[in-house]
Amino acid sequence: MLFRSLLLIYLNNIQAQNNCCNNIGNQPGWYNIVINPDSPYPACSQSYPGFYAQDNCKGQLLCPLSYYCPNAGLDSPIPCDAGKYCPSQGLTAGIACPGGYYCSSGSINPTICPIGSYCPAQAPSFIPCPKGYYCPFSGIVIPQICPMGYYCPQTGLSAPIKCPKGTYNSNTGSTSFLNCSICSSELFPG
């Protein structure tokens, strides 16, 4: 019985090579579901969401890792969009990249944002902290504003720079040491 079943599958596969879904114009995205050895016509169907069919003479294929297959009738999988990741097979949509991480096109997993940068939700890449801000650790969603008494003169800064001795800065978000004013004994005795 097992031998007969295997032989039937083998013969069906051979017949599939000559029995494609030609009645639909040989279109990609369609595949041959079952071949009835007694029928000259194949049983054709569009590939289901989560699958694709490149060859209309064979079956549909499961959408692979780092891709998604949103619609019926796809003839090839779609690479996961930037800002999303596709961690499993058979997905019909990418998963939004969480804040503190970035996801480039075709990502399987989110990548944590490095120190000196920030990543809002659905970031396609990390963003260097702008002047006047700093990003002290990895996974920052929103950059931290440069505090009073400090300045942040460059992009990608991981720590603010303290104003020189004998100076002060009463503003936040300063981008230059020129924002640090000289202490005056009349204004700030001692």
Side-chain angles (χ1 to χ4, degrees), residues 66 84-88 97-98 101-104 106-112:
S66 81
K84 297 184 178 186
Y85 66 105
C86 297
S88 60
C97 203
Y101 294 82
Y102 67 95
C103 300
S104 56
S107 290
I108 294 174
N109 293 308
T111 303
I112 194 159

Side-chain angles (χ1 to χ4, degrees), residues 16 30 42 84 118 129 131 156 178:
W30 288 77
K84 297 184 178 186
Y118 69 102
C129 274
K131 290 181 180 182
L178 297 174

Side-chain angles (χ1 to χ4, degrees), residues 112-187:
I112 194 159
C113 223
I115 294 173
S117 64
Y118 69 102
C119 298
Q122 296 189 34
S125 65
F126 66 87
I127 304 165
C129 274
K131 290 181 180 182
Y133 294 84
Y134 69 105
C135 299
F137 50 88
S138 59
I140 294 275
V141 177
I142 299 171
Q144 297 181 8
I145 194 160
C146 206
M148 291 188 288
Y150 294 83
Y151 62 101
C152 300
Q154 62 198 39
T155 59
L157 204 59
S158 62
I161 301 170
K162 191 170 180 72
C163 282
K165 204 172 215 180
T167 65
Y168 72 96
N169 181 359
S170 59
N171 298 316
T172 59
S174 296
T175 59
S176 172
F177 74 92
L178 297 174
N179 298 118
C180 301
S181 302
I182 296 175
C183 293
S184 168
S185 59
E186 292 173 13
L187 295 174

Side-chain angles (χ1 to χ4, degrees), residues 1-9:
M1 184 67 167
L2 176 63
F3 177 74
R4 185 168 193 261
S5 297
L6 291 174
L7 181 61
L8 188 57
I9 290 170

Side-chain angles (χ1 to χ4, degrees), residues 52-98:
Y52 67 103
Q54 288 181 322
D55 183 341
N56 67 10
C57 300
K58 297 178 183 172
Q60 62 182 344
L61 302 168
L62 187 62
C63 210
L65 287 173
S66 81
Y67 291 86
Y68 69 104
C69 299
N71 306 325
L74 285 180
D75 63 349
S76 62
I78 300 169
C80 207
D81 299 322
K84 297 184 178 186
Y85 66 105
C86 297
S88 60
Q89 296 178 323
L91 291 178
T92 57
I95 300 168
C97 203

